[in-house]
Amino acid sequence: MTEEETVTRLKQAAEAKRAAEQAATAEFEQAVVDALRAGLKPKTVADATDYSYETIRRIARKYGIGRLREPTVTSRKKTQPGDSPA
């Protein structure tokens, strides 16, 4: 095999690897979105996939899924207008 053929083969293999990784990422993200929309808690999804809660949250945000949990009392107080502790 010539050097040119070897380089061409390497480029093709690298492109195939990139395409496979992109397809796997898209499939994973869709599975996460489906799980969240089905009502699974983000912690459950994170534990099942060995990905961090933050990764699950980023995927949810990317696909337009709203809050992943109910706001706490503290966070609700922070959003109240006119209640700033000045």
Side-chain angles (χ1 to χ4, degrees):
M1 197 180 289
T2 67
E3 183 176 335
E4 185 178 318
E5 291 170 334
T6 303
V7 170
T8 299
R9 183 170 175 232
L10 282 171
K11 287 180 180 180
Q12 289 171 343
E15 181 55 38
K17 183 177 186 282
R18 273 190 291 280
E21 288 171 349
Q22 289 172 349
T25 297
E27 184 178 345
F28 171 72
E29 289 178 353
Q30 190 58 54
V32 168
V33 168
D34 291 345
L36 293 172
R37 287 188 176 145
L40 261 62
K41 292 183 178 184
K43 182 182 181 334
T44 304
V45 176
D47 290 345
T49 61
D50 289 332
Y51 280 84
S52 70
Y53 178 87
E54 183 62 21
T55 299
I56 303 306
R57 188 190 66 75
R58 284 184 190 137
I59 292 169
R61 182 174 286 171
K62 177 180 176 181
Y63 287 89
I65 296 176
R67 286 191 169 274
L68 297 180
R69 62 185 173 92
E70 289 297 315
T72 62
V73 172
T74 303
S75 65
R76 285 183 185 173
K77 286 181 181 178
K78 288 179 183 178
T79 61
Q80 296 296 320
D83 288 343
S84 63

